[in-house]
Amino acid sequence: MPNQKEDGKFGDQKYLEEWPRIFADSVHVLQNNELCLAPWNAKRFPYGNSELYHFHGLRLISRKRVHYSDYPIPEPTMRCVYRRYFEDLNTSVKLLESIGVHDFKQYHRDNLLLLVYRSLRSLVSASIKVFSGQTSNL
């Protein structure tokens, strides 16, 4: 959806403004803008204060290429946030390839998310079995 106001929505997220009223017991609106960062405010707030990062516009172009933003990203944010996320994405791609998924374009987004969820669930389940009964002192 283009970035235009339509039926009480802007883009695809205007509806979120109603959530604090509709889900008053479950939704909290952050008052500190530094807690949630995204490409459009990455230069304004330091990444170290954030609780989450919204990777707006990030797209996997190929196995070795990622389009990460149309906004300028500060070098510390690139090094400490994006590069770590790219490493996690690479791990996820390898996991999907290990179960036979090689061409992501053939999967509809929702089906791919379900496939990722099931793959990760089985990986976590296998890891729990491997580590069950083991203890360690911290």
Side-chain angles (χ1 to χ4, degrees), residues 74-93:
E75 195 281 327
T77 303
M78 179 58 73
R79 183 180 67 248
C80 297
V81 177
Y82 277 83
R83 285 196 184 135
R84 289 180 181 175
Y85 188 58
F86 295 161
E87 290 169 6
D88 289 344
L89 283 175
N90 191 40
T91 299
S92 297
V93 167

Side-chain angles (χ1 to χ4, degrees), residues 48-103:
N49 295 341
S50 66
E51 293 292 325
L52 67 96
Y53 197 94
H54 175 67
F55 291 92
H56 171 78
L58 189 134
R59 301 287 180 268
L60 293 173
I61 296 171
S62 70
R63 179 72 171 82
K64 303 243 182 225
R65 292 189 65 216
V66 176
H67 172 79
Y68 61 86
S69 180
D70 292 328
Y71 297 89
I73 305 296
E75 195 281 327
T77 303
M78 179 58 73
R79 183 180 67 248
C80 297
V81 177
Y82 277 83
R83 285 196 184 135
R84 289 180 181 175
Y85 188 58
F86 295 161
E87 290 169 6
D88 289 344
L89 283 175
N90 191 40
T91 299
S92 297
V93 167
K94 287 179 182 176
L95 173 65
L96 289 169
E97 289 175 343
S98 77
I99 61 169
V101 178
H102 298 282
D103 180 10

Side-chain angles (χ1 to χ4, degrees), residues 6 8 11-12 17 25 32 34 40 49 54-55 63 68 72-73 78 83 87 89 97 101 108 110 117-118 122 128 132:
E6 180 181 302
D12 62 351
E17 291 181 6
D25 295 334
N32 183 343
E34 292 184 34
W40 57 84
N49 295 341
H54 175 67
F55 291 92
R63 179 72 171 82
Y68 61 86
I73 305 296
M78 179 58 73
R83 285 196 184 135
E87 290 169 6
L89 283 175
E97 289 175 343
V101 178
H108 181 272
D110 294 335
Y117 167 76
R118 287 180 177 160
S122 46
I128 289 171
S132 65

Side-chain angles (χ1 to χ4, degrees), residues 109-129:
R109 179 179 171 268
D110 294 335
N111 291 335
L112 183 58
L113 291 175
L114 182 60
L115 181 62
V116 169
Y117 167 76
R118 287 180 177 160
S119 301
L120 291 174
R121 186 179 63 189
S122 46
L123 182 66
V124 168
S125 177
S127 297
I128 289 171
K129 289 175 186 170

